[in-house]
């Protein structure tokens, strides 16, 4: 409703309180003393800025590729002439941190480690705390984390762990429409920015920071989204970080156990994401048909698999403005759709009952 109010001019005094509140609340959310920069664009804009602002052509980075969004690091790096050293992770698994440690020890010229906190395409989380421990004491190597489906879901204390660049987007746990990317930057990363030679103009983070310190923006901001963001951050502040993380963990556990209770398999093999659960579609049933029928028959929005997982999995989100009955509705909808598609392994209600047994506990 805040976004339905009449628009205000982004250079007028009316917008300054919005900027000031958002500045303070984003620092709280990112758990950092540094400024968090906001740019008009999707989360991919934040990913691109994290390469163009801190790297030079020819620099080497480690790109952890465990899914569709891990692949994106490779493509962005190559577009800027940055050399990605791919750590290929089997889809469904999280990265073996020792592999990254070995690469860093063998080649001190590596300038960055780029990773997803939550690989949205597979429903897998990577161990960011352990990766941060590898880069923290390396003066010229930064850790860059795509937390687009992780920030505001799981604990990612930027300063305490030593995350150098932390990225998220507006349409996930921050609960507003797509169109904003947020980038937290450490002091170490800012030092690298002074010598980075990749071209940049609109996504020049130093220019954004200089303007933000004056309660302004480098370019015309997405004013309506900023106003919505101020409201969503108020909601998050009221709930508190510990309760936010606990709620997401509970909803995620109930979702995973709910689909297992109906005889289904969760795709994540070791560290499942608390933001999204990828579910393996039963033998002989197209995963694309599952999520399409959820929408068409019951008005439930889910997602299908991407690339090699297309038709093999479907994905259920439990992040942001989600609560107990969102999970119950989703699991119930999955049961009904699969039963109508011919699935007979478990009776209706088996998964819902399992989810309820978790959600009823306080």
């Amino acid at each position: 409703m805040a976004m339905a109010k009449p628009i205000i001019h982004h250079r007028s005094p009316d917008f300054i309180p919005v900027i000031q509140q958002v500045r303070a609340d984003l620092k709280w959310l990112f758990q950092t003393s540094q400024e968090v920069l906001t740019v008009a664009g999707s989360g991919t804009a934040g990913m691109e800025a994290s390469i163009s602002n801190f790297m030079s052509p020819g620099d080497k980075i480690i790109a952890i590729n465990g899914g569709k969004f891990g692949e994106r690091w490779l493509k962005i790096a190559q577009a800027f002439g940055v050399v990605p050293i791919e750590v290929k992770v089997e889809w469904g698994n999280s990265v073996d941190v020792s592999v990254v440690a070995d690469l860093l020890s063998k080649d001190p010229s590596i300038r960055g480690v780029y990773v997803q906190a939550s690989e949205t395409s597979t429903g897998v989380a990577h161990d960011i705390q352990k990766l941060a421990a590898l880069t923290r004491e390396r003066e010229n190597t930064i850790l860059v984390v795509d937390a687009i489906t992780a920030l505001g879901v799981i604990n990612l204390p930027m300063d305490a762990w030593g995350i150098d660049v932390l990225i998220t987007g507006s349409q996930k746990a921050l609960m507003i429409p797509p169109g904003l990317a947020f980038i937290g930057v450490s002091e170490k990363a800012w030092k690298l920015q002074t010598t980075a030679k990749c071209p940049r103009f609109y996504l020049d983070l130093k220019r954004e920071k200089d303007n933000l310190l004056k309660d302004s923006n480098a370019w015309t901001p997405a004013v309506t989204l900023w106003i919505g963001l101020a409201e969503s951050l108020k909601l998050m502040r009221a709930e508190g970080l510990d309760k936010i993380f606990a709620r997401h963990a509970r909803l995620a556990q109930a979702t995973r156990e709910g689909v297992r209770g109906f005889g289904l398999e969760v795709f994540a093999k070791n560290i499942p994401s608390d933001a999204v659960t990828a579910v393996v579609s039963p033998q002989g049933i197209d995963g694309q048909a599952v999520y399409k029928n959820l929408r068409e028959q019951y008005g439930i929005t889910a997602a299908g698999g991407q690339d090699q997982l297309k038709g093999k999995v479907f994905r259920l989100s439990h992040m942001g403005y989600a609560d107990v009955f969102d999970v119950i509705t989703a699991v119930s909808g999955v049961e009904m759709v699969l039963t109508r598609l011919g699935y007979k392994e478990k009776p209706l209600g088996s998964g819902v009952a399992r989810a309820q047994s978790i959600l009823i506990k306080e």
Side-chain angles (χ1 to χ4, degrees):
M1 292 306 297
M3 291 190 290
K5 294 178 182 178
I7 195 75
I8 57 178
H9 193 279
H10 65 282
R11 302 295 185 199
S12 72
D14 294 340
F15 196 52
I16 291 175
V18 178
I19 296 175
Q20 290 173 335
Q21 184 208 318
V22 166
R23 281 178 66 188
D25 288 349
L26 284 176
K27 288 180 182 181
W28 168 81
L29 179 62
F30 278 63
Q31 301 182 70
T32 182
S33 61
Q34 302 294 316
E35 294 293 333
V36 178
L37 311 172
T38 302
V39 298
S42 69
T44 303
M47 294 175 72
E48 177 172 318
S50 75
I51 287 178
S52 65
N53 280 265
F54 307 108
M55 297 293 144
S56 298
D59 281 347
K60 288 183 281 187
I61 65 167
I62 292 172
I64 295 171
N65 177 9
K68 184 69 175 175
F69 296 95
E71 288 178 354
R72 193 163 296 177
W73 290 130
L74 301 169
K75 294 175 181 179
I76 297 172
Q78 289 161 351
F80 284 94
V82 173
V83 181
I85 301 168
E86 181 182 13
V87 174
K88 200 166 182 64
V89 181
E90 182 184 358
W91 287 30
N93 291 306
S94 57
V95 68
D96 182 346
V97 176
S98 67
V99 173
V100 179
D102 186 54
L103 287 170
L104 288 171
S105 65
K106 288 178 178 176
D107 189 348
S109 70
I110 292 170
R111 298 294 296 274
V113 176
Y114 286 70
V115 64
Q116 274 65 39
S118 167
E119 174 53 71
T120 317
S121 64
T122 63
V124 171
H126 294 299
D127 194 330
I128 301 303
Q129 187 172 12
K130 287 183 178 178
L131 290 169
L134 297 179
T135 58
R136 185 162 193 162
E137 304 306 320
R138 296 174 186 271
E139 185 178 354
N140 294 312
T141 306
I142 58 173
L143 175 65
V144 178
V145 179
D146 160 9
I148 292 168
T149 54
L151 197 80
V153 174
I154 60 174
N155 192 25
L156 291 168
M158 182 173 167
D159 289 357
W161 285 1
I163 300 169
D164 295 299
V165 181
L166 188 60
I167 304 157
T168 196
S170 53
Q171 79 275 25
K172 306 297 184 181
L174 273 70
M175 303 177 287
I176 59 173
L180 294 179
F182 310 95
I183 309 111
V185 183
S186 72
E187 289 185 13
K188 183 170 78 171
W190 280 122
K191 289 178 183 176
L192 290 186
Q193 200 266 354
T194 61
T195 58
K197 298 293 193 297
C198 282
R200 51 191 177 271
F201 181 74
Y202 181 73
L203 296 177
D204 185 333
L205 297 184
K206 177 62 165 55
R207 183 179 294 176
E208 283 291 351
K209 182 182 179 182
D210 290 345
N211 279 271
L212 192 62
L213 291 171
K214 296 181 286 188
D215 292 322
S216 185
N217 301 91
W219 315 108
T220 303
V223 172
T224 302
L225 292 178
W226 272 76
I227 291 170
L229 174 66
E231 292 299 320
S232 70
L233 288 169
K234 283 181 186 176
L235 290 173
M236 297 178 82
R237 279 266 205 178
E239 186 173 4
L241 285 178
D242 289 344
K243 287 185 178 179
I244 288 172
F245 301 147
R247 172 170 58 86
H248 281 96
R250 185 164 166 250
L251 296 178
Q253 182 190 7
T255 302
R256 293 191 292 263
E257 289 306 311
V259 296
R260 286 170 177 149
F262 197 55
L264 305 175
E265 178 187 349
V266 173
F267 185 70
K269 295 178 176 59
N270 43 12
I271 310 179
S273 169
D274 283 349
V276 59
T277 296
V279 184
V280 179
S281 190
Q283 187 73 28
I285 295 179
D286 183 1
Q288 298 295 98
V290 176
Y291 95 88
K292 288 177 181 176
N293 284 324
L294 281 169
R295 182 183 67 248
E296 292 169 2
Q297 294 171 0
Y298 302 115
I300 299 170
T301 300
Q306 296 175 286
D307 281 2
Q308 67 198 53
L309 292 184
K310 191 170 184 178
K312 297 178 181 177
V313 305
F314 56 92
R315 294 175 292 149
L316 304 172
S317 167
H318 28 75
M319 67 182 127
Y321 195 69
D323 213 334
V324 168
F325 285 97
D326 296 296
V327 170
I328 295 296
T329 298
V331 174
S332 176
V334 167
E335 291 188 351
M336 294 166 75
V337 163
L338 286 175
T339 299
R340 291 180 68 169
L341 290 172
Y343 178 77
K344 299 177 181 178
E345 293 299 313
K346 294 279 186 176
L348 285 169
S350 303
V352 172
R354 180 85 70 89
Q356 286 175 319
S357 70
I358 292 165
L359 295 170
I360 202 168
K361 298 173 185 174
E362 292 294 338

